[in-house]
Amino acid sequence: MPDNAEPPDVLFTPLAINAVTIANRIVMAPMAALSPRPDGRPSEQTIAFLCARAKGGVGLIILGGTTATRRAYEEAPVKGTLRFDDDRYVPDLKRMTDAVHAHGTPIFAELSASFGTMAKPSDWPCIAASPKNLVIKPDTLPQGILAPFDVATAMPREATVDEISQITRETVMAAVRAQRAGFDGVEVAAMMSYFLASFLSPRSNWRTDEYGGSVENRARILVDIVRLIRERVGASFPIGLRISANEHVDGGQGPEGFAAIAQHVERAGLDYVALTDGNYETMDASISATDAPTVAHGEAKIFREALSCTLLIGGVHGHAGAEQIISAGHGDAVMLARPLLADPEYANKIRDGRAREVVPCDRHNQCVRRMVLGMPIRCTVNPQMGRESRQPGALPPVDRLIKAPVERAVLAASGSPRLMNLVKKLPRKGS
């Protein structure tokens, strides 16, 4: 696209999601890249990171890296999440949304209820729909993520009906807090291999009570959450659902099954569905090396035919492909994650006919590897990523001067195929 070309009109037309109108079809996908304070409140870096993307021209920010319940906060598998589980966090969240709104950008809060079999060890028991754990194989990892052998997660206990009810109530209250904190909408996180997602597929849910068996029963927890949120926030407040489109595993659920779940939830008051792909057993689908796999493989078409609400398509990098997705009616907006780490000005550059100036994501996924290893998120092509709040010329904090060399060494080791092969050959306990 020449620098003086007109921007792709279809990407820069407004889109109404219930009572909220976003200025264009480029949405920042939720990411756990916020560097919040240790107590779960937004830091100055959190606000600076979000504001850089708001100034960069995205039509909507969906805030990721959040926890809706105390359980979720304490068992979160990633380091550093924003808390929505208590009223005392509302004022700081409001300061954050005010800062984003100053740039004219709406912001929705994704709400994570619990992490199921992906939960880290904590005082809370690991629970899921049914007692099924995950086995993550090295050949299913995305580019740049290496492992010498299979990784099995802890075996969860089947959640009781009382635990399900408690998580439902607390997630609804988190949505109410989000509205009070100035968020323009909320999104229920039911993707990957987290607690809510464990109810959706017969492969991970073999309950015999009202939460298992039929599509209606497997959708029940999401239907209840969305219905109760709608009762509390009113008719005009946007509510979304993030859901996997396809498990991509033997015996797993495909797009028809997930779309049937989404149909039931839509009737409870959904305004949009955001599609992801795969789960933690198929991370190469979730963090794809190609653009918009749910469009390429046909899942988006199945959801488009099943739903009447707005459809957001994830896994997008290139603007030409994004334009084609919208023009062809595969989805109503596209969600970008890694590309907005690489270039916060992505949307403005496309809008202004400066596509050649966009700094592309290299898809090496060092950002993901750092997150998995509990390190602050950084980007190999954007040295400002994770440092947006730092004043030009300012020295890094002392703790970063100490930790950064150690992190570089760990990244070099964990990214070395040779070292991983050596580790693979070492005798393992129990072998």
Side-chain angles (χ1 to χ4, degrees):
M1 179 177 174
D3 286 351
N4 60 356
E6 291 296 319
D9 290 339
V10 70
L11 285 181
F12 292 89
T13 55
L15 173 68
I17 304 176
N18 202 326
V20 173
T21 298
I22 65 176
N24 61 60
R25 308 302 180 95
I26 299 174
V27 176
M28 180 178 133
M31 295 176 278
L34 301 175
S35 298
R37 287 165 47 181
D39 63 358
R41 301 173 197 268
S43 65
E44 293 307 312
Q45 170 57 29
T46 307
I47 294 172
F49 168 80
L50 295 172
C51 286
R53 278 76 196 165
K55 287 189 291 186
V58 295
L60 170 67
I61 289 173
I62 304 178
L63 183 78
T66 70
T67 47
T69 67
R70 183 181 170 192
R71 168 195 287 276
Y73 176 73
E74 295 185 2
E75 69 181 17
V78 297
K79 186 176 181 180
T81 59
L82 289 177
R83 301 185 69 167
F84 285 72
D85 60 298
D86 193 283
D87 289 347
R88 67 180 183 270
Y89 301 109
V90 170
D92 289 278
L93 292 169
K94 181 66 164 61
R95 183 169 69 91
M96 182 183 68
T97 59
D98 285 346
V100 172
H101 288 151
H103 301 286
T105 306
I107 179 169
F108 292 0
E110 183 187 64
L111 302 175
S112 297
S114 175
F115 291 99
T117 189
M118 293 305 299
K120 73 176 185 184
S122 71
D123 292 338
W124 296 87
C126 179
I127 59 173
S130 297
K132 185 184 186 311
N133 69 337
L134 305 179
V135 177
I136 302 170
K137 297 183 176 297
D139 61 359
T140 64
L141 296 173
Q143 179 176 315
I145 311 297
L146 305 177
F149 36 70
D150 295 355
V151 176
T153 64
M155 183 65 71
R157 170 174 61 72
E158 179 177 290
T160 67
V161 171
D162 284 345
E163 287 169 330
I164 293 169
S165 297
Q166 181 179 354
I167 288 173
T168 297
R169 290 193 303 271
E170 291 183 18
T171 304
V172 172
M173 288 308 302
V176 173
R177 291 188 192 100
Q179 186 181 44
R180 287 170 46 207
F183 284 90
D184 302 284
V186 293
E187 177 179 285
V188 179
M191 72 296 182
M192 298 299 286
S193 305
Y194 300 143
F195 179 74
L196 295 181
S198 72
F199 285 82
L200 308 185
S201 167
R203 183 171 179 267
S204 55
N205 179 355
W206 52 83
R207 301 174 71 100
T208 57
D209 62 6
E210 66 267 37
Y211 292 99
S214 67
V215 170
E216 181 180 6
N217 283 356
R218 286 183 282 116
R220 188 177 304 280
I221 188 170
L222 295 182
V223 169
D224 288 347
I225 288 171
V226 170
R227 175 178 54 80
L228 292 169
I229 290 175
R230 178 60 70 206
E231 289 176 4
R232 296 297 301 271
V233 300
S236 61
F237 191 71
I239 304 174
L241 171 69
R242 184 167 298 270
I243 190 172
S244 296
N246 195 338
E247 288 187 284
H248 295 294
V249 292
D250 289 342
Q253 184 163 256
E256 293 85 0
F258 283 111
I261 294 280
Q263 274 186 322
H264 279 276
V265 187
E266 181 183 19
R267 298 184 195 116
L270 275 186
D271 296 300
Y272 73 90
V273 167
L275 289 187
T276 64
D277 205 17
N279 56 34
Y280 277 103
E281 292 175 295
T282 51
M283 286 181 66
D284 51 350
S286 303
I287 307 172
S288 176
T290 59
D291 267 21
T294 58
V295 172
H297 302 153
E299 290 96 342
K301 182 176 185 291
I302 291 168
F303 276 81
R304 177 98 281 180
E305 292 172 351
L307 303 172
S308 58
C309 64
T310 297
L311 188 63
L312 310 185
I313 304 296
V316 176
H317 282 240
H319 74 277
E323 180 184 11
Q324 199 278 331
I325 288 168
I326 307 303
S327 298
H330 298 299
D332 300 294
V334 294
M335 299 176 292
L336 281 68
R338 291 170 290 169
L340 292 176
L341 300 183
D343 194 338
E345 287 284 325
Y346 181 106
N348 282 345
K349 289 176 180 178
I350 301 302
R351 181 199 63 200
D352 297 339
R354 297 183 289 125
R356 290 178 183 173
E357 297 178 18
V358 170
V359 179
C361 169
D362 61 13
R363 299 187 195 250
H364 289 172
N365 296 321
Q366 189 179 113
C367 53
V368 179
R369 191 146 54 95
R370 291 183 67 98
M371 180 181 67
V372 170
L373 294 170
M375 300 176 185
I377 307 300
R378 298 289 187 263
C379 177
T380 51
V381 299
N382 176 11
Q384 291 302 114
M385 170 57 218
R387 305 177 177 93
E388 288 86 352
S389 63
R390 193 180 299 174
Q391 295 300 315
L395 291 174
V398 173
D399 70 317
R400 293 304 306 151
L401 291 172
I402 296 170
K403 292 177 180 178
V406 177
E407 291 173 357
R408 286 194 291 270
V410 171
L411 287 168
S414 63
S416 168
R418 182 179 180 184
L419 181 59
M420 291 298 106
N421 284 331
L422 288 174
V423 173
K424 185 176 181 180
K425 294 174 183 178
L426 294 175
R428 297 174 62 195
K429 185 177 179 180
S431 61

